Amino acid sequence: MSVLGRRTNPQGAPAHARRVPPGPPRSRTPVLFAKLIRDRLGLMSQAAEEYGDAARVRIGPKTLYIFNHPDHAKHVLADNSANYHKGIGLIQAKRALGDGLLTSEGELWRKQRDAIQPVFQHKRIARQAGVVAEEAGRLVDRLRDQAGGAPVDVVHEMTALTLGVLGRTLLDADLGGFGSAGGAFEAVQDQAMFEMVTLNMVPTWVPLPKQLRFRWARRYLHHVADDLVMLDRVQGGDDVVSRLMGSTLQESDGRVRRQRMDDELITLLLAGHETTASTLSWAFYLLDRHPQVWERLHAEAVEVLGDRPPQLEDLRRLTYTDMVIQEVMRLYPPVWILTRQAQRDDEVGGYHVPAGSDVLICPYTLHRNPAFWDAPDAFRPERFEPEATTERPRYAYIPFGAGPRFCVGNHLGLMEATFALALACRDLRLRLTPGRQVVPEPMLSLRVRGGLPMTVHPV
């Protein structure tokens, strides 16, 4: 029997009644609640399969409006974005991230965006190409040193790469000394998801191991932020820390100023490394399953790069590499769900959305909508050949979000992923440990659950 249950809709309602999306009956709440905890991707996928482009799923006190059409995504994320604040999951993440760029709203968010935007300007990121190439080269060297040995955790290696790039390009700092940052961010995501799926019904003072670990993570990340601020005061410069310090000078209260700095830096550290590390991890997994794609990637890297490191102008020449990365992000979008809360009554796709409702746009299912993607579960980089994308709706593919809150670091992330994938496929082949089951873990980003052990083989 379907977990969601039979399709329901207010059939027979008065003609003047507001139209609501179909969905399972409230009697399915216990089963849906369990599904929300154990299999969030399955819940979203089944809602799309059974109810189409719009569904209303009621779980306890929450009513989730799930929309799965490009036009719906465009309306919520862009056209009427002012009516939709950050929603379930990110609300809970505020306990750790505070009012950083990922969770803040209104005038504060606009000030933060204005302060940090210049650091991500295309010209400035382009000047960092050499640094990104160096870090990608270090990754390949680390992997090569472990060739023929025990499996390496690719997720760990990609995280080391992205933290290295983040530190050198945006913070003018070596983040290698903060070795526990990855574990701390994992604890933050675990707690945010725990609070989301339990609908905030478990008091935060309960000394569960998960909540104790979260308290440690929060203290550790504030320590990291404070160290970065102190380092910047010594060095100076035109990095993110300097710009954020300048933007908070108007705060007369020193404690408020420090809190804002911490919130911004912790958010940047999380968002700046997690998404690209996840994308690259999924890329190596898919390449192992599709050797013919690896062969073509390898050939392109050899032809374009020869035996030298990548340069900025290579980005437009590594066309197949870019197609592979785009297809990876289609199947496993790093931000797998975009949650919003309606501030006022609205209508989405002809359906009434009451004020206060939790609205979900799920790139994971949107990117697999069979109305816009042929054989949507198949890995086919050719989907992103220029001629194949001309008739596809713009909002059928939103790996970086959309609208005013479009990911500010997309250029850096794509450069990093392109250089790392090209260099690694030129020199090495990574193979999944036999018998290993690879399972997606939908947290704030779409991670590989439990790491990705792969053996390294020189080409």
Side-chain angles (χ1 to χ4, degrees):
M1 179 179 177
S2 165
V3 170
L4 296 184
R6 296 180 59 191
R7 179 185 300 236
T8 62
N9 210 352
Q11 303 293 335
H16 64 273
R18 287 170 164 171
R19 185 172 175 234
V20 298
R26 191 175 287 279
S27 61
R28 303 299 295 168
T29 289
V31 178
L32 293 171
F33 185 69
K35 189 87 169 175
L36 181 65
I37 293 175
R38 295 195 307 265
D39 187 13
R40 293 181 284 281
L41 289 180
L43 179 65
M44 295 296 131
S45 298
Q46 199 163 3
E49 180 181 345
E50 296 194 15
Y51 301 108
D53 293 337
R56 185 177 66 154
V57 178
R58 291 171 291 183
I59 306 177
K62 289 284 186 182
T63 299
L64 309 178
Y65 287 75
I66 304 172
F67 293 104
N68 196 49
H69 189 281
D71 292 345
H72 303 162
K74 181 175 183 291
H75 178 84
V76 172
L77 301 176
D79 294 346
N80 198 24
S81 61
N83 186 48
Y84 292 93
H85 288 186
K86 288 300 182 80
I88 187 170
L90 289 172
I91 292 175
Q92 287 77 13
K94 270 196 173 189
R95 284 191 56 215
L97 302 179
D99 279 315
L101 193 63
L102 189 64
T103 55
S104 61
E105 300 288 353
E107 186 60 28
L108 174 59
W109 173 81
R110 282 185 283 275
K111 289 180 180 178
Q112 293 168 333
R113 181 88 173 199
D114 289 344
I116 202 172
Q117 182 77 47
V119 180
F120 289 95
Q121 286 180 344
H122 193 273
K123 289 183 179 179
R124 188 183 187 280
I125 295 301
R127 292 197 297 270
Q128 303 289 336
V131 172
V132 177
E134 284 181 17
E135 291 296 325
R138 291 178 182 179
L139 165 71
V140 173
D141 289 343
R142 290 196 303 270
L143 292 173
R144 187 185 291 108
D145 288 344
Q146 301 177 77
V152 301
D153 182 2
V154 169
V155 174
H156 174 80
E157 291 295 342
M158 297 308 117
T159 299
L161 163 71
T162 55
L163 283 174
V165 170
L166 175 65
R168 293 184 64 190
T169 59
L170 299 182
L171 300 173
D172 196 22
D174 180 6
L175 297 181
F178 303 112
S180 299
F185 284 122
E186 184 175 327
V188 167
Q189 294 195 62
D190 286 347
Q191 181 67 17
M193 287 296 108
F194 173 73
E195 293 185 18
M196 183 188 81
V197 301
T198 58
L199 305 177
N200 290 68
M201 292 188 293
V202 179
T204 57
W205 53 261
V206 176
L208 298 174
K210 188 184 298 291
Q211 302 207 124
L212 293 174
R213 187 165 176 251
F214 167 74
R215 294 175 198 171
W216 161 80
R218 186 169 53 180
R219 290 193 301 269
Y220 180 80
L221 291 173
H222 281 288
H223 162 70
V224 171
D226 290 345
D227 280 0
L228 288 173
V229 171
M230 292 302 299
L231 180 64
D232 191 80
R233 285 174 175 168
V234 172
Q235 294 180 342
D238 185 32
D239 57 10
V240 168
V241 181
S242 299
R243 289 187 173 274
L244 290 177
M245 288 177 66
S247 72
T248 60
L249 289 177
Q250 59 187 319
E251 299 287 354
S252 57
D253 189 325
R255 289 175 299 178
V256 174
R257 185 162 58 247
R258 175 179 172 180
Q259 186 63 51
R260 275 196 54 194
M261 281 293 303
D262 283 4
D263 292 349
E264 287 285 12
L265 286 173
I266 291 172
T267 297
L268 180 71
L269 287 167
L270 172 61
H273 89 276
E274 176 84 10
T275 52
T276 306
S278 294
T279 295
L280 282 168
S281 299
W282 286 115
F284 286 111
Y285 163 68
L286 288 168
L287 289 174
D288 177 63
R289 295 187 61 195
H290 299 84
Q292 74 282 3
V293 176
W294 180 91
E295 294 283 358
R296 188 170 168 185
L297 263 180
H298 170 73
E300 179 179 80
V302 169
E303 178 183 355
V304 172
L305 302 180
D307 59 358
R308 63 172 174 80
Q311 301 170 358
L312 177 65
E313 51 270 24
D314 294 324
L315 288 175
R316 59 181 177 81
R317 301 174 63 204
L318 292 166
T319 54
Y320 189 69
T321 307
D322 178 72
M323 290 160 53
V324 169
I325 293 168
Q326 300 293 339
E327 177 70 346
V328 171
M329 292 192 295
R330 184 189 70 83
L331 285 173
Y332 297 102
V335 180
W336 68 280
I337 196 164
L338 299 163
T339 65
R340 297 292 187 267
Q341 189 174 77
Q343 303 304 295
R344 297 174 301 280
D345 284 10
D346 195 14
E347 185 175 289
V348 180
Y351 294 107
H352 176 63
V353 176
S357 298
D358 289 291
V359 175
L360 309 182
I361 305 292
C362 182
Y364 181 85
T365 56
L366 182 63
H367 291 179
R368 297 168 187 253
N369 189 326
F372 307 101
W373 305 95
D374 180 50
D377 293 327
F379 179 56
R380 296 179 180 174
E382 293 76 16
R383 300 178 199 273
F384 290 93
E385 291 177 342
E387 58 271 19
T389 64
T390 54
E391 296 185 5
R392 187 180 302 141
R394 158 69 182 84
Y395 288 81
Y397 180 66
I398 50 172
F400 296 108
R405 303 196 80 133
F406 184 82
C407 176
V408 71
N410 67 307
H411 292 305
L412 178 60
L414 285 174
M415 177 193 290
E416 188 175 357
T418 303
F419 283 3
L421 200 60
L423 277 182
C425 290
R426 184 191 67 182
D427 297 347
L428 305 169
R429 193 159 192 167
L430 276 62
R431 293 194 170 95
L432 187 66
T433 302
R436 176 73 178 190
Q437 295 297 313
V438 177
V439 179
E441 185 175 32
M443 306 298 281
L444 293 181
S445 66
L446 189 57
R447 306 186 309 200
V448 180
R449 178 177 296 168
L452 186 63
M454 303 187 81
T455 52
V456 181
H457 306 270
V459 175

